[in-house]
């Protein structure tokens, strides 16, 4: 587990150093060190609970760029195993799938990932807002294909949006991926979302999400089970009582 500036009190500016296999970030009054065991690397440690972290009081003269002050050691943590959602997950009514996609993780082909925090169900022939309401066309053909694929469409002449196809083949139903919380590959997302004023805005909307992940028409039909883009679970359950509102 690495410590990022957002994990710490505001007002600190950091610079990183690599030291004896540890990652050290020097701040005004502390040094953030991540690794397996600080004692192995000559740090004289005293452990205590601090927001699920380990506080280490130690000499810092060996950490280049650090003042002789407190060290906060964040131990390495195992990343929870990700389980790609099976096709049966999508082979249901989109009104069931949409809330259960919350807290799942969208995975990109280059290590980018984000936790899905907002979705929207589209119910085909009974839903006038659905692209599939009037039947199958060349544009929406993916929505009528097998479940567990990505339906990507162009909107407002400038944006891409992505849906997870649901139901049975020829149902024409799906769930729009409306927003997500960036997890990894944030630097790449920032580069693609140059106008974002903060990391919170990187994936805060269906078009922004696609831009941050580089999703375009070329990804229409991508298999979410085995393709370039996948949706997985890290064991975090969806909210017990999700906030539900009218369609935007």
């Amino acid at each position: 587990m690495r410590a990022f500036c957002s994990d710490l009190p505001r007002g600190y500016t950091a610079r990183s150093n690599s030291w004896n296999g540890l990652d050290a970030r020097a701040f005004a009054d502390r040094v953030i060190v991540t690794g397996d065991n600080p004692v192995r690397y000559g740090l004289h440690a005293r452990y205590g609970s601090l927001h699920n972290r380990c506080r280490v009081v130690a000499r810092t003269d060996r950490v280049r760029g650090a003042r002789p002050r407190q060290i906060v050691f964040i131990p390495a943590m195992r990343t929870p195993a990700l389980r790609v959602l099976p096709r049966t997950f999508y082979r249901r009514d989109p009104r069931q799938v949409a809330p259960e996609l919350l807290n799942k993780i969208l995975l990109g082909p280059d290590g980018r990932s984000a936790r899905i925090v907002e979705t929207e169900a589209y119910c085909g022939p009974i839903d006038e807002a659905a692209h599939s309401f009037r039947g199958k066309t060349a544009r929406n053909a993916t929505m009528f294909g097998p479940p567990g694929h990505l339906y990507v469409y162009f909107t407002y002449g400038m944006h891409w949006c992505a849906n997870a196809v649901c139901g049975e083949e020829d149902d024409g139903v799906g769930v729009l991926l409306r927003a997500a919380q960036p997890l990894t590959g944030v630097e790449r997302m920032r580069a693609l979302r140059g106008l974002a004023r903060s990391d919170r805005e990187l994936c805060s909307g269906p078009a922004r999400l696609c831009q941050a992940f580089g999703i375009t028409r070329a990804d229409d039909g991508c298999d979410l089970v085995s393709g370039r883009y996948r949706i997985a679970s890290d064991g975090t359950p969806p909210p017990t009582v999700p906030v539900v509102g009218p369609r935007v």
Side-chain angles (χ1 to χ4, degrees):
M1 172 178 168
R2 290 182 178 275
F4 295 91
C5 295
S6 58
D7 295 328
L8 303 166
R10 295 181 180 179
Y12 296 104
T13 56
R15 65 191 182 89
S16 299
N17 298 281
S18 178
W19 174 66
N20 277 359
L22 298 175
D23 180 72
R25 291 174 182 257
F27 290 78
D29 66 346
R30 68 188 67 192
V31 178
I32 301 302
V33 180
T34 60
D36 294 322
N37 187 340
V39 179
R40 285 178 52 197
Y41 301 102
L43 299 177
H44 303 282
R46 176 168 58 83
Y47 291 91
S49 176
L50 177 65
H51 302 301
N52 297 322
R53 300 175 182 175
C54 291
R55 174 180 289 179
V56 178
V57 179
R59 296 199 313 262
T60 61
D61 53 297
R62 291 186 62 188
V63 182
R64 183 159 50 99
R67 299 178 183 181
R69 297 176 187 267
Q70 180 183 4
I71 285 183
V72 178
F73 174 71
I74 301 179
M77 299 178 63
R78 292 183 179 179
T79 302
L82 294 178
R83 180 180 63 86
V84 175
L85 301 181
R87 203 166 309 283
T88 52
F89 176 90
Y90 303 97
R91 192 175 284 120
R92 296 178 293 159
D93 188 303
R95 290 168 290 189
Q96 292 179 291
V97 176
E100 292 188 24
L101 275 175
L102 297 175
N103 280 336
K104 300 300 187 290
I105 298 176
L106 176 62
L107 305 172
D110 59 354
R112 276 173 284 180
S113 68
R115 191 176 300 279
I116 298 169
V117 297
E118 187 176 354
T119 57
E120 188 171 344
Y122 284 87
C123 302
I126 64 170
D127 185 352
E128 293 186 17
H131 287 180
S132 53
F133 177 70
R134 291 183 173 82
K136 186 176 182 179
T137 66
R139 180 196 187 203
N140 66 19
T142 300
M143 278 198 83
F144 291 87
H149 287 74
L150 203 61
Y151 165 52
V152 182
Y153 65 91
F154 200 51
T155 185
Y156 296 114
M158 59 191 303
H159 298 302
W160 298 103
C161 295
N163 299 254
V165 177
C166 299
E168 297 291 346
E169 196 163 349
D170 293 325
D171 281 355
V173 298
V175 174
L176 175 65
L177 306 181
R178 285 199 57 87
Q181 174 191 357
L183 296 176
T184 59
V186 177
E187 290 294 337
R188 178 61 175 154
M189 292 184 189
R190 289 176 186 148
L192 292 172
R193 290 274 300 114
L195 297 178
R197 291 172 294 182
S198 68
D199 288 354
R200 186 172 183 175
E201 291 188 351
L202 291 176
C203 301
S204 62
R208 291 173 175 177
L209 185 153
C210 283
Q211 187 178 10
F213 272 85
I215 296 174
T216 68
R217 182 68 178 180
D219 299 300
D220 182 48
C222 173
D223 191 335
L224 290 171
V225 178
S226 61
R228 283 165 38 85
Y229 293 93
R230 306 182 189 188
I231 299 179
S233 172
D234 66 349
T236 303
T240 305
V241 184
V243 176
V244 179
R247 179 174 288 156
V248 178

